[in-house]
Amino acid sequence: MADVRGWARLLPALGAADRRRVETGLVDADARIRAVIGRTTTYYWGASVTRTPEWTVTESWSAELRRRAALAMHLEAATSSSPTALNDVLRNLADGGPEWTRADLLWCLEVAGRGHGYDDAAHLELPATIAGHLTPADLADLAPALSALFAELTTRHVPSAGPRRRVVTLIGEALDRATGRRVPSWLLHHGDEFGPLVRAGLGDVLAAPGVAELLTHCASLDKPAAPARWLRVLDGHLASAADGKKAVHAVLAAFVAHHRSVHDDTDRLLRGLAWALSRESDEAATDLLAGVTAVASAAPRQASGFPHAQRTAIAAVRLLAERAGEAPVRTLARLAVTVKNKAVRSRVQTALAHLGTLRGWSLSEVMELAVDDHGLDSDGCRRTPVGPYEATVRVEGEKARLTFARGGTALKGVPAAVKETHADELRQLRGLVKSVNATLTSERQRVEALLSEDRTWTYADWVSRFPDHPITGTYGRRLLWETSTDGRRWSAGLPRRDGDGWTIVGLDGRPVPGDRVRLWHPVRARVDETLAWRERVLAAGLTQPFKQAFREVYLLTPAEERTGSYSNRFAGHILRYRQANALMRARGWQAGYLGTWDGGYDSEATKLFGGGAWRASFHHQLVDTDDPGDHDVHHCATDQVRFARSDGATWRPAPVADVPPLVFTEAMRDVDLFVGVTSIATDPQWADRGEDRFRDYWHRTAVGPLAPSAQVRRDALARLLPRMAIADRVTLTDRYLHVRGTMRGYRIHLGSGNIMMEPHDAYLCIVPARGGTGRLHLPFEDDPMLSTILSKAIMLAADDTITDPTVLRQLVP
């Protein structure tokens, strides 16, 4: 037997006479019930034993025989080393008429406290059922042990959800009868921080007449969609409980303020409360429901795929999409680009599409119109008086910052007086900065995603949604746009403020005509035009929010036309898996994890393009290690890229030749990024691994032909290097940047960043210092390899000043 559990030590002693009465006849009853169960083995895994024809014989047993059989099966469930799912058997026998006593419950708790606890919680089925049949007097001296058992069940997640919830409910109800509690213990319990917080802060509201019954009903909802009968009962509780609506609002508002993950039981309660809130149609209810949806869908930073309350999120997303006003649009649009959980994200996309249909908008337009301006003016600024000071929240670049001034004089940091006497206002201002930064992050992703869409705007809409928008403007004002008067001939330019308005000016500095606007993409531009705009972006010192002028272009190849249904352009590479998976998710791709389990050897990463009309799939496989004892996934091998077109609720595979150029180039660019950043070819130390099985791949790829991303990098270097102090010591060729140092000559591969020392092509491994490019202006910030190559070139051009001994040892001929 196992050691007695902590809660079992609180049990009062069972008298000898009571023990004999409980245990009398158990051996015979055990044989009788085992004989019945043995005849049902053919049904055992397909249906409950209690629903088989053989089980009907137990219906003729006396109440005493059923009691003894239940006790015998409880002993089996709690002490057997081979656990058997006896939950249904125990419930059926226990509810079949036996007169249960305090001694029966005490004996069952003793057995459960000494035995095993399995995921099916069968060892607690009988004591929980018996507890439900006893009077408060019978339970009084068992309350301490029941309370400790209840706490263990709610704070641990060992039993599976269904059995645990049933046991927790029954024991909680028994505990409430023993202690006289008005609010059920199993509601808002100690399994998370939220339950005790609400009980402490809202005790009077929860104890009001009819509120406990309302909460109990809300917690009984088993599915995201509430059935009509459940809603009728809900409406009855809301009508009969005087403080019912107040309780619904108070608990949900507390959850929004809590903004943390909750227990599964609490999640179920909140889901029902969200439905209760949806019965109100006013704006305040909509705003609260929007807050609940946002918090429930959010996730801890260290576990981005696990929302704070997933069940509530799924239900609330659907409910929010049916509401009027701007809050639903804003909330759902933001979640569409921030939620990582696949189940919630797919429902957000569906809800947005539904909301767009109701309002006559496309999905892309829904997300565009929903961007929150946070009360900032068109310059991205919001000023607020705080006592004698003026606080300013301003968007600078791609971050919001909070500053203070007094009498027009800017101050460093937050004044001490503000911290001491205006703490609440300071907290709100810092919360505003956090919210603005969250919107900036999601907007950057949304605007970049527009590059795969063939969207056009009227000039007025473009001005209000991009250059004049306090959030989106920080991106829109640094991007290239095209205008047209007829939709056939387009002219490119950069936004420029003229007086009180905005205009788009071309390479010659003059406004380009047109009443329609679209986002410029190099795949639709002539080569000479693209090169000219690259030079203009550099000359103007403009840092674009993401690669646009220097964006890579991927056109369909003859090989892809021959394969027809897929592209093998980036197949056959070996990637560092954890880094690759993290990068896929950061770029908005959804991918299952690879692992050494059934179905874990292959994965398909998917992402929507073209405003959701197209889906790209990037296939990759696990690469086994040479160590049979190592079950971790270190590397993956790349495979095909495929495309599918949306057809209502289904996806239909499409030939690569049918994929729009914008969609094709944007999808292939992402895959090239995965390979270019996470391939083992970018690790110079791989050259020293001797007979490593990937060594040939490393050598072939580390110095191989340049992919489109590296070709764009070469063009950027060709324009940057003449502006640098090392210009006379570097030479750019097809694949390499040659650097002439004082000690040796070097070649840096433009794709992998690997360095070979002349004249013997020995590999040099160095880790460049951060910020090695000094104050050199870069036209974009989303190519870390460009910065790495420049940092290495600057270091090697002055190799006689290197002091790092690990580098110096490699430089000695």
Side-chain angles (χ1 to χ4, degrees), residues 405-477:
R406 183 169 186 173
T409 303
L411 304 176
K412 292 183 178 180
V414 181
V418 172
K419 295 179 181 179
E420 294 171 2
T421 61
H422 300 277
D424 288 342
E425 292 152 282
L426 179 60
R427 190 180 306 110
Q428 293 174 7
L429 288 167
R430 286 173 169 168
L432 174 62
V433 170
K434 184 177 180 181
S435 298
V436 171
N437 283 330
T439 304
L440 283 166
T441 299
S442 62
E443 267 301 89
R444 185 188 184 281
Q445 297 171 358
R446 185 189 71 82
V447 174
E448 187 175 12
L450 290 172
L451 287 168
S452 72
E453 293 187 49
D454 195 11
R455 285 278 308 278
T456 61
W457 295 265
T458 65
Y459 208 92
D461 284 345
W462 171 77
V463 168
S464 64
R465 299 180 192 182
F466 290 96
D468 256 354
H469 196 281
I471 301 294
T472 316
T474 193
Y475 306 118
R477 293 189 286 268

Side-chain angles (χ1 to χ4, degrees), residues 131-391:
H133 286 77
L134 299 184
T135 66
D138 291 329
L139 296 167
D141 65 336
L142 300 178
L146 290 176
S147 180
L149 171 58
F150 182 83
E152 178 182 298
L153 287 170
T154 54
T155 54
R156 295 176 61 201
H157 296 270
V158 175
S160 53
R164 182 198 57 77
R165 204 163 57 249
R166 184 167 54 249
V167 169
V168 164
T169 301
L170 289 172
I171 292 178
E173 290 173 346
L175 189 60
D176 296 338
R177 291 202 307 280
T179 58
R181 292 175 185 164
R182 297 181 62 182
V183 181
S185 296
W186 58 272
L187 284 173
L188 299 166
H189 54 60
H190 286 71
D192 55 27
E193 297 177 359
F194 180 67
L197 183 71
V198 173
R199 282 178 173 269
L202 302 175
D204 292 341
V205 176
L206 300 181
V211 171
E213 291 77 11
L214 170 63
L215 298 180
T216 298
H217 181 69
C218 287
S220 70
L221 182 59
D222 287 329
K223 296 181 179 180
R229 184 176 181 279
W230 187 91
L231 288 173
R232 287 196 295 272
V233 176
L234 171 66
D235 291 337
H237 284 301
L238 288 170
S240 61
D243 290 335
K245 291 183 179 179
K246 179 181 179 182
V248 171
H249 280 256
V251 175
L252 290 178
F255 170 66
V256 173
H258 186 61
H259 209 286
R260 295 181 186 174
S261 297
V262 296
H263 192 282
D264 182 66
D265 293 344
T266 305
D267 191 2
R268 291 171 181 273
L269 170 62
L270 293 171
R271 176 173 61 186
L273 290 173
W275 275 95
L277 180 64
S278 73
R279 310 305 278 175
E280 304 175 38
S281 58
D282 58 278
E283 186 176 348
T286 299
D287 290 341
L288 179 55
L289 184 59
V292 170
T293 307
V295 173
S297 303
R301 181 177 300 177
Q302 66 276 17
S304 59
F306 298 90
H308 290 152
Q310 182 170 332
R311 299 177 190 277
T312 302
I314 289 173
V317 161
R318 172 178 175 172
L319 293 170
L320 191 61
E322 302 290 341
R323 314 284 291 196
E326 294 184 3
V329 185
R330 276 200 313 269
T331 303
L332 293 173
R334 187 178 303 168
L335 293 178
V337 293
T338 58
V339 169
K340 303 301 181 185
N341 180 271
K342 192 172 182 179
V344 177
R345 187 169 187 169
S346 66
R347 285 166 172 82
V348 170
Q349 293 284 356
T350 301
L352 278 172
H354 174 68
L355 192 150
T357 300
L358 292 177
R359 305 192 184 192
W361 301 333
S362 68
L363 175 60
S364 186
E365 191 167 13
V366 168
M367 297 179 68
E368 197 163 273
L369 292 169
V371 183
D372 194 347
D373 61 15
H374 297 284
L376 277 62
D377 60 26
S378 59
D379 293 324
C381 185
R382 176 173 165 180
R383 294 177 174 84
T384 306
V386 181
Y389 304 95
E390 182 181 67

